[in-house]
Amino acid sequence: MLTRRDFYRAGSVALGSLMGLVLAVPGAAYLLDPLRRKAGGVTSYPLARLSDLPVGVPRAFAIVDERKDAWVTYPKRPIGTVWLVRRPEGSETPVVAYQAECPHLGCVIGADHGGTSFRCPCHGATFAIDGSSTNGVSPRSMDYLEVEVLSDANSTVSVRYQRFRPQATKRLPLA
């Protein structure tokens, strides 16, 4: 037969266990959340419509994203810049994208006034419109990025943004 004292003891243990479980589940989810996320993933960003890009003229686009670390999500802000160059009809890829960070020291690369080449203002590295280094200051050509022209109504140009290690002779992605 169950006495009143045994009933209260069992009820206290059950209630205490339930309260511990209620606190343990969110705590475990909080601690394990960073392990569940992909580290160093490459994200694709829709930047422009294909019809808005003139053939052979480089156009710069800011990559805007919210930064997340461990448990904090920061507001959206620019995290980089990409140069898009539309190629003539009949090319195997309609648009090419280049990382706007100089492979030499990571400075921001700009287009020259005529839009026929790229130049790094910090140390004088120059690049042709196809991204190749023209004066040898940079250890490699401009870093190209994957581009996808979506088959939606606007023919949206989407770029997989990624950063690469400066001063390396090969393209080494940053984690």
Side-chain angles (χ1 to χ4, degrees):
M1 174 146 199
L2 188 65
T3 65
R4 181 187 285 175
R5 182 172 286 170
D6 292 337
F7 176 74
Y8 284 141
R9 187 176 296 141
S12 295
V13 168
L15 189 60
S17 298
L18 181 65
M19 289 175 60
L21 186 64
V22 165
L23 293 174
V25 169
Y30 176 79
L31 292 173
L32 297 176
D33 184 56
L35 299 175
R36 190 176 49 85
R37 297 179 195 211
K38 290 182 186 176
V42 180
T43 305
S44 189
Y45 297 91
L47 296 180
R49 293 186 307 220
L50 187 60
S51 60
D52 293 341
L53 298 173
V55 175
V57 178
R59 291 208 34 216
F61 291 90
I63 302 294
V64 179
D65 199 3
E66 57 187 22
R67 185 172 63 96
K68 296 178 184 180
D69 67 6
W71 302 282
V72 180
T73 300
Y74 297 94
K76 289 190 174 199
R77 65 180 184 87
I79 59 170
T81 305
V82 172
W83 284 101
L84 294 180
V85 181
R86 184 172 180 182
R87 291 194 167 163
E89 295 296 326
S91 299
E92 63 182 67
T93 55
V95 178
V96 290
Y98 300 109
Q99 170 64 272
E101 286 183 23
C102 184
H104 180 233
L105 294 175
C107 305
V108 178
I109 296 173
D112 69 355
H113 296 297
T116 58
S117 63
F118 298 102
R119 185 175 193 287
C120 180
C122 299
H123 55 273
T126 57
F127 304 90
I129 198 73
D130 67 354
S132 60
S133 179
T134 57
N135 66 354
V137 173
S138 176
R140 65 180 186 269
S141 299
M142 289 175 70
D143 297 316
Y144 58 89
L145 301 168
E146 290 181 41
V147 177
E148 181 181 10
V149 179
L150 304 175
S151 56
D152 58 4
N154 296 325
S155 295
T156 304
V157 177
S158 182
V159 174
R160 291 185 51 143
Y161 182 73
Q162 190 174 14
R163 295 184 61 214
F164 300 93
R165 179 164 292 142
Q167 296 185 337
T169 55
K170 295 181 181 178
R171 282 177 13 122
L172 301 173
L174 292 175

